[in-house]
Amino acid sequence: MEAAAGKPAELIASTLEWIYDNATSGAIDLAESYRLKWAGDCERSIGDLIGSHMRYAAVVGFVTGFGGIFATPVTAPLNISSVVIIQVRMIAAIAHLRGYALTDRKVKTLVFICLAGASAAALIQELGFNIGERVGARVLSRGARITMGKFNAVLGRHLLARYGARRFAVQTVPIIGALAGAAMDASVTFGISATAKTIFKPLGQRPYLARS
């Protein structure tokens, strides 16, 4: 039973590699366009970037939530893939603006961790890390004993929990479901952006992960 329960979680997480490659293909150019818009001011660029991606997520949430409970089996997978691409692109752009290389495997792992949003702390602890000590992101390479299978399963469970909450919110009459979907996707995207800003501190400052 436990193995069966882990399969959908691993399936969701296994698609993140494809999503990462597609979402980040234009993330650098996107980030640089915001940097140019704000004359090199990194933090104002990030703030504008986050606001735009919250609006994108809200639009997707509204459209995919419009059908209410009757359309949920069709629209839910579409919402998950579309919104996660928006969120991964946002996280990657934040990481780039703060000086991180998107081709670095550790950076990719941190991007995936950011997707957990408010539950990132629980995810990190479940993987065997402590929170609160300021050490470098190189801690991820020291934590190589964590297999990708375990990481995917843990992350997948957190994403499934969020999907379950969203599915419950939109299973109502169409218009209310659309508004609930828009509000929830925008709110989750904002939470993810806050996590990304915490994890991807400007280079020279240390993120908060530590190996136990």
Side-chain angles (χ1 to χ4, degrees), residues 19-95:
I19 288 176
Y20 186 89
D21 291 339
N22 283 270
T24 59
S25 61
I28 293 177
D29 289 341
L30 176 69
E32 290 303 324
S33 71
Y34 279 92
R35 196 198 304 271
L36 181 63
K37 176 181 178 180
W38 292 103
D41 188 322
C42 179
E43 296 311 304
R44 293 184 73 180
S45 300
I46 290 174
D48 192 4
L49 173 81
I50 291 169
S52 296
H53 283 69
M54 286 177 62
R55 290 190 291 274
Y56 300 153
V59 170
V60 171
F62 183 87
V63 172
T64 57
F66 194 80
I69 188 171
F70 301 106
T72 297
V74 175
T75 60
L78 176 62
N79 171 267
I80 292 173
S81 59
S82 300
V83 171
V84 169
I85 288 175
I86 289 170
Q87 292 164 345
V88 169
R89 183 177 62 183
M90 176 189 71
I91 299 165
I94 291 172

